[in-house]
Amino acid sequence: PRRGSSFAGVSAGGGDNLKAMLAAKREALQAEMKTFESMDLGIPEFIDMFRSNANLVEKVSQTTGIPSMDLKTLEDEDLKKWFVEMDTDGSGTLDFREFINGIMKLTADKNKPPEEPKVARGTNKLSKRSTF
C-alpha cells in the first residue's frame, strides 16, 4: 500500500488542491495584467494604484533593482514628477505602454554609470561636458 507523504505541508493526495490553487493564482494574475494593459490613469489614480498595489511595487522593484522599501517611501511629489516624465504624449494620463517605457528608462538610468566631471581645455574648472 502507498503511504501518504508530505512536502512542505502538501500531502501526496493533495495534488488537486495545489492545481486549483495555482489555477486561481494564474487567473488572478491574468486579470491584474488585463487591468494594467487597459490602464489610462491620471496622476491621483496613478498615485493611488502605486500606494495600494503591493504587487505592482514589488514588480517595479524587481524590474528596476530599486528596493521596494525605497519605492514605498516615495513622496507624492516624487510620484507626480515620475508620472509627468512617463506621460510622453502629454495627455495627462498614463497608459500601459508609457508606464512600461518609463520603467525601462528608469532601469536604464539606474544602471548607467555616473558621469565623471572632466576638466575643460585651457581651464582649471571642472565641467560635466567636455569641450574637446
Side-chain angles (χ1 to χ4, degrees), residues 22-38 55 59 96:
L22 291 174
K25 282 189 174 192
R26 184 174 47 245
E27 286 178 28
L29 181 59
Q30 287 173 341
E32 185 175 15
M33 285 309 297
K34 281 188 183 233
T35 300
F36 287 144
E37 289 172 5
S38 65
N55 190 38
K59 294 291 183 194
F96 186 69

Side-chain angles (χ1 to χ4, degrees), residues 56-69 71:
L56 171 69
V57 173
E58 191 55 40
K59 294 291 183 194
V60 170
S61 173
Q62 290 170 359
T63 303
T64 62
I66 298 171
S68 59
M69 282 308 298
L71 293 170

Side-chain angles (χ1 to χ4, degrees), residues 5-122:
S5 65
S6 67
F7 181 76
V10 177
S11 67
D16 290 338
N17 235 4
L18 181 59
K19 286 180 185 177
M21 187 172 64
L22 291 174
K25 282 189 174 192
R26 184 174 47 245
E27 286 178 28
L29 181 59
Q30 287 173 341
E32 185 175 15
M33 285 309 297
K34 281 188 183 233
T35 300
F36 287 144
E37 289 172 5
S38 65
M39 77 180 200
D40 195 22
L41 306 173
I43 291 175
E45 294 89 4
F46 171 73
I47 292 172
D48 183 53
M49 183 179 77
F50 204 82
R51 298 265 182 251
S52 63
N53 190 327
N55 190 38
L56 171 69
V57 173
E58 191 55 40
K59 294 291 183 194
V60 170
S61 173
Q62 290 170 359
T63 303
T64 62
I66 298 171
S68 59
M69 282 308 298
D70 290 353
L71 293 170
K72 290 176 185 176
T73 59
L74 286 172
E75 298 290 327
D76 283 359
E77 281 304 311
D78 296 323
L79 290 173
K80 285 177 187 176
K81 288 176 189 173
W82 191 21
F83 177 96
V84 170
E85 287 178 24
M86 289 191 290
D87 180 22
T88 54
D89 67 3
S91 66
T93 62
L94 195 64
D95 63 30
F96 186 69
R97 180 191 51 78
E98 288 173 317
F99 180 73
I100 294 299
N101 289 339
I103 296 297
M104 290 171 58
K105 182 181 181 321
L106 187 65
T107 303
D109 289 349
K110 185 178 183 312
N111 293 328
K112 190 186 314 180
E115 232 180 83
E116 291 188 28
K118 296 180 181 176
V119 177
R121 208 178 267 183

